[in-house]
Amino acid sequence: SQELEQSPQSLIVQEGKNLTINCTSSKTLYGLYWYKQKYGEGLIFLMMLQKGGEEKSHEKITAKLDEKKQQSSLHITASQPSHAGIYLCGAVTISNFGNEKLTFGTGTRLTIIP
Amino acid sequence: GAGVSQSPSNKVTEKGKDVELRCDPISGHTALYWYRQRLGQGLEFLIYFQGNSAPDKSGLPSDRFSAERTGESVSTLTIQRTQQEDSAVYLCASSLGLSGQGNQPQHFGDGTRLSIL
């Protein structure tokens, strides 16, 4: 089964600073999703990456997919308090029957301090 | 509704009781997923429904867990004879459905926080 390792597990960053979160897969990545979760709430879809080398941005968040390294990174520029939360990467696995499932990493808890 | 709706938002029950959790997916979404998230841990896949196909139950942790879905609408997750280790947030997600290419993002509800006393 596919396993996803996220690093770091937790991160404390001063407001305004940049940061990077990594997600490494034990198997080939066919699709990689990034979600954000706030305590007590569901997951908010951020971005989906499908192709090696693909890079997407939304506001101050940029995600890249390095297919060869089976890795994705999420970069936040000029962090703000609203960025605080748990960031989860999810990898798509597709069975022989075409069933799609997401396997999630254990998450990175981001805290923004003033 | 505009998003995935789950009810109840919180459920506290005694060990040994049965509980039923409900999920209303986004209208038009044919795929529906249930996940479990224990405190401080990642999401654990439980079950997946896609249209009229047989559900993928490979993630259900024991036979005390079951789920149903009527057509492409509401789903219920039932836990029988609850145990304390069942305490977790149960998240439901839906997506536009099977593409076989992993390019349909899942949209999540806010979850049901289940506490077993």
Side-chain angles (χ1 to χ4, degrees), chain A residues 33 35 37 42 50 94 98 100, chain B residues 37 98-102 106 109:
Chain A
Y33 293 82
Y35 287 86
Q37 184 179 32
Q50 279 194 284
I94 301 175
E100 295 184 15
Chain B
Q37 186 177 32
L98 186 64
S99 67
Q101 298 177 19
Q106 295 179 23

Side-chain angles (χ1 to χ4, degrees), chain B residues 22-44:
Chain B
R22 177 187 168 108
C23 173
D24 278 280
I26 293 172
S27 178
H29 280 193
T30 59
L32 186 146
Y33 305 77
W34 282 99
Y35 294 89
R36 177 170 70 177
Q37 186 177 32
R38 290 184 164 135
L39 185 65
Q41 297 187 20
L43 271 71
E44 178 186 4

Side-chain angles (χ1 to χ4, degrees), chain B residues 85-107:
Chain B
E85 64 260 27
D86 299 335
S87 296
V89 176
Y90 289 82
L91 290 160
C92 174
S94 70
S95 73
L96 279 172
L98 186 64
S99 67
Q101 298 177 19
N103 61 1
Q104 300 294 339
Q106 295 179 23
H107 299 270

Side-chain angles (χ1 to χ4, degrees), chain A residues 33-78:
Chain A
Y33 293 82
W34 282 99
Y35 287 86
K36 179 185 173 185
Q37 184 179 32
K38 290 195 170 181
Y39 180 75
E41 300 180 14
L43 278 67
I44 300 168
F45 171 70
L46 295 177
M47 274 173 279
M48 173 180 67
L49 304 166
Q50 279 194 284
K51 301 175 184 177
E54 186 173 12
E55 178 176 324
K56 287 188 177 178
S57 294
H58 175 67
E59 297 179 345
K60 294 185 178 180
I61 301 176
T62 301
K64 300 179 185 179
L65 179 62
D66 186 331
E67 207 169 51
K68 290 181 181 178
K69 291 185 180 178
Q70 299 176 180
Q71 186 178 62
S72 178
S73 61
L74 185 85
H75 185 76
I76 299 178
T77 304

Side-chain angles (χ1 to χ4, degrees), chain A residues 17-36:
Chain A
K17 298 293 186 182
N18 303 337
L19 62 106
T20 300
I21 299 169
N22 292 304
C23 174
T24 303
S25 172
S26 61
K27 294 187 176 182
T28 301
L29 289 166
Y30 292 102
L32 195 289
Y33 293 82
W34 282 99
Y35 287 86
K36 179 185 173 185

